[in-house]
Amino acid sequence: MDALTLHRIHFGFTVTYHYLFPQLTMGLALLIVILKTLALRAKDPEQQNKFDVSARFWAKIFAINFLLGVVTGIPMEFQFGTNWSEFSRRTGGVIGMPLAMEGVFSFFLESAFLGMFIFGEKRLSRGMHWLSAFLVFFGSWISGFFIIVTNAWMQHPVAYVLRPDGVFEVGSFWGLMFNPWAWLEYAHNMCAAVVTGSFVMAAVGALYLLQNRPGPYGRVFLKLGVIAGCISSILQVFPTGDLHGKYLAKNQPVAIAAMEGLFHSAYSAQMIILGQPNYESQKIDNPLAVNKVLSFLIYGTTAAEVQGLDHFPKDQWPSTLPLLFYAYHIMVGLGTWFLALMVAAVFLLWRDKLFNARWLLWAILLSWPLPYIANTAGWMTAEIGRQPWLVFGLIRTSQGSSIHVGAGNSLFTLLGFLGMYTLLSLLWIILLYNHVQEGPPQNDLSS
């Protein structure tokens, strides 16, 4: 493999591994605020304590994931200067500002108030302790926004000025911040983060109920998890997924064609549910398709024409087309499962049968890794779909890598990261396993 391919694999690995942690912390941040709000509004001291202990339990899981997110995020940003120095040189005037603001909100606001929340519960008033939880949530979500702004500019560059030397600068700060792509992508991404947090919380609750553990925490975790999971799963599909897909079709139609496996432009285009893309014969083998649905989903009418890959030059087709097709369909398939599972869980919760429905508790417990797979597949869809552009329409991927970092150096550091992250994974598994098995303490705050 050449240096460019290894640079792409290296960054793809580090960013994929890193995002295992923020997606959970951003989702849990909202759920912890909800738990603290329930505790603040509860009149009965026993109810207050139940929600306070629950919030404290999840705050420790949040802290473990936040720590590993920081550890794995810093090397990823350094890679902009090592493996992608030409990209950084040309676009640093645009992406440097939101990346710096992300660091400020993540490393200062979020980490500072996380410390107050974990260690200041006995020293702060109940209102101030709630405020510290809210500011952790605010810091995590606003830092996520600035990362999305950076990615959205690469997907849909706006508000920039191109200097004669080929360097890009910000033409309008507010134009960059209000990039329509950023807001659609942000809403879709944060719903996905809440899905992850909700499924993990619901899975722990299901585990405690299946183990017949004493105490109310299994029911608290499961109830909050399935309600938040149902709402976020619905919002993930509509309106955020629907609007983002339509905007993608308008601005990156070649990506939509590759994601859907649409080789030839067609009126009343069908949507492929299952199949194997055959790029030599340019067709889908063994397709399971629904007629006219793709035209309707994109344009609101079954008669509309959807542009296929044949409408675009081959040098503008996304690279690794089969991977893009499968990643997109994995994301959509799992999103459908999340929606069906959580709607069923909420229905049984409403009927007061969820806590004893062991078949559904097992389904929820075994589904906890699936949001991680769906989030990874979703980001792969977005990033592979943008190819062959590093900044869509402006800088091709082949033009952004570091020409002075060879394949040998990139491979050596990639192997080093693989070894280091293997150890981090073992540490993460041990810490979370022990904490979940120990469970919330069955006593009051004073102990």
Side-chain angles (χ1 to χ4, degrees), residues 159-276:
Y160 64 88
V161 175
L162 178 60
R163 294 188 344 201
D165 59 357
V167 172
F168 295 89
E169 293 181 346
V170 175
S172 167
F173 172 79
W174 294 114
L176 180 65
M177 291 295 103
F178 286 97
N179 183 349
W181 192 294
W183 288 87
L184 292 171
E185 184 178 338
Y186 179 68
H188 193 58
N189 183 79
M190 301 316 288
C191 286
V194 177
V195 169
T196 300
S198 300
F199 266 73
V200 171
M201 181 174 286
V204 174
L207 173 67
Y208 289 171
L209 290 175
L210 289 169
Q211 293 177 336
N212 296 316
R213 291 202 182 195
Y217 301 107
R219 292 171 177 255
V220 171
F221 298 164
L222 183 63
K223 183 177 181 179
L224 178 56
V226 299
I227 292 175
C230 183
I231 295 172
S232 56
S233 295
I234 293 172
L235 294 176
Q236 182 77 352
V237 177
F238 184 86
T240 65
D242 177 66
L243 292 175
H244 188 41
K246 290 178 177 177
Y247 201 75
L248 175 66
K250 179 181 178 181
N251 293 277
Q252 292 186 15
V254 62
I256 284 288
M259 290 157 51
E260 297 287 354
L262 188 65
F263 291 98
H264 306 286
S265 301
Y267 292 93
S268 301
Q270 61 183 5
M271 184 178 70
I272 305 297
I273 298 176
L274 292 173
Q276 300 85 45

Side-chain angles (χ1 to χ4, degrees), residues 391-447:
V391 180
F392 191 80
L394 299 178
I395 303 175
R396 295 180 78 93
T397 303
S398 58
Q399 299 171 328
S401 64
S402 303
I403 60 175
H404 298 297
V405 178
N409 288 331
S410 188
L411 179 60
F412 178 79
T413 54
L414 174 59
L415 294 174
F417 272 91
L418 285 168
M420 179 175 65
Y421 285 179
T422 298
L423 295 177
L424 285 177
S425 298
L426 294 174
L427 175 64
W428 177 71
I429 291 171
I430 292 171
L431 290 174
L432 290 187
Y433 177 82
N434 289 337
H435 184 64
V436 170
Q437 285 299 316
E438 180 181 356
Q442 304 294 325
N443 46 32
D444 60 18
L445 178 63
S446 60
S447 61

